[in-house]
């Protein structure tokens, strides 16, 4: 019988997913990962930004990062993400929701009651939603 050549991509994937590689990535790029997770989450994608921040805070308590840098990175990421989310909504907004049929059917059904709710309770809803991660998106 002939020996099978192993898939070279499988070895690369296995090597990349081992514990040492993952911890090395976190050690080398941890604050960048925290920045991206928080920025993308606050811009509207359902990502675990708070989880990334907690992990970075624990790493800072163990001396792997400076807590000051964790705070700076998290603050900047939240500001950038909020502004990107606002900009996307402002520029794309209703036009994006009406462009594609599968989204239009959803938006035609959901937007009218949502707009009525926000015309009555908009400020309160936005303020309170910032404190509950599931409501931000």
């Amino acid at each position: 019988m002939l020996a099978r050549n192993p898939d070279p991509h499988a070895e690369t994937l296995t090597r990349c997913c081992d514990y040492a590689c993952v911890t090395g990535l976190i050690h080398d790029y941890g604050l960048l990962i925290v920045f991206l997770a928080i920025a993308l989450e606050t811009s509207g994608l359902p990502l675990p930004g708070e989880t990334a921040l907690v992990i970075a805070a624990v790493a800072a308590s163990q001396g792997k990062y400076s807590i000051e840098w964790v705070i700076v990175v998290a603050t900047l990421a939240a500001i950038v993400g909020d502004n990107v989310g606002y900009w996307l909504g402002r520029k794309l907004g209703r036009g994006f929701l009406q462009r594609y049929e599968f989204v239009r059917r959803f938006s035609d059904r959901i937007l009218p009651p949502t707009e009525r709710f926000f015309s009555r309770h908009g400020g309160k809803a936005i303020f309170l939603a910032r404190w509950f991660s599931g409501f931000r998106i």
Side-chain angles (χ1 to χ4, degrees):
M1 288 180 61
L2 295 172
R4 288 182 51 199
N5 282 339
D7 183 11
H9 298 293
E11 182 182 328
T12 304
L13 181 62
T14 304
R15 203 171 346 125
C16 181
C17 293
D18 71 356
Y19 180 76
C21 181
V22 172
T23 56
L25 283 172
I26 292 171
H27 183 267
D28 294 340
Y29 302 105
L31 292 179
L32 177 63
I33 293 168
V34 169
F35 180 88
L36 292 173
I38 293 173
L40 291 173
E41 180 198 29
T42 58
S43 68
L45 294 176
L47 292 174
E50 282 106 358
T51 304
L53 182 57
V54 168
I55 292 169
V58 169
S61 75
Q62 296 172 348
K64 298 198 184 334
Y65 302 120
S66 162
I67 190 64
E68 291 85 5
W69 276 110
V70 171
I71 292 169
V72 167
V73 166
T75 302
L76 289 175
I79 292 168
V80 167
D82 280 338
N83 283 290
V84 167
Y86 175 81
W87 181 82
L88 287 172
R90 179 95 173 144
K91 293 296 179 188
L92 300 178
R94 191 174 290 276
F96 174 76
L97 295 175
Q98 299 299 317
R99 185 175 303 157
Y100 303 104
E101 179 61 32
F102 70 93
V103 179
R104 184 180 316 123
R105 283 180 290 171
F106 177 76
S107 68
D108 287 344
R109 189 184 73 216
I110 298 298
L111 282 181
T114 304
E115 288 173 337
R116 285 192 303 273
F117 174 82
F118 275 98
S119 68
R120 283 184 295 213
H121 309 289
K124 295 177 283 192
I126 296 299
F127 177 78
L128 292 173
R130 292 304 301 154
W131 302 102
F132 301 99
S133 63
F135 297 119
R136 271 188 255 167
I137 299 169

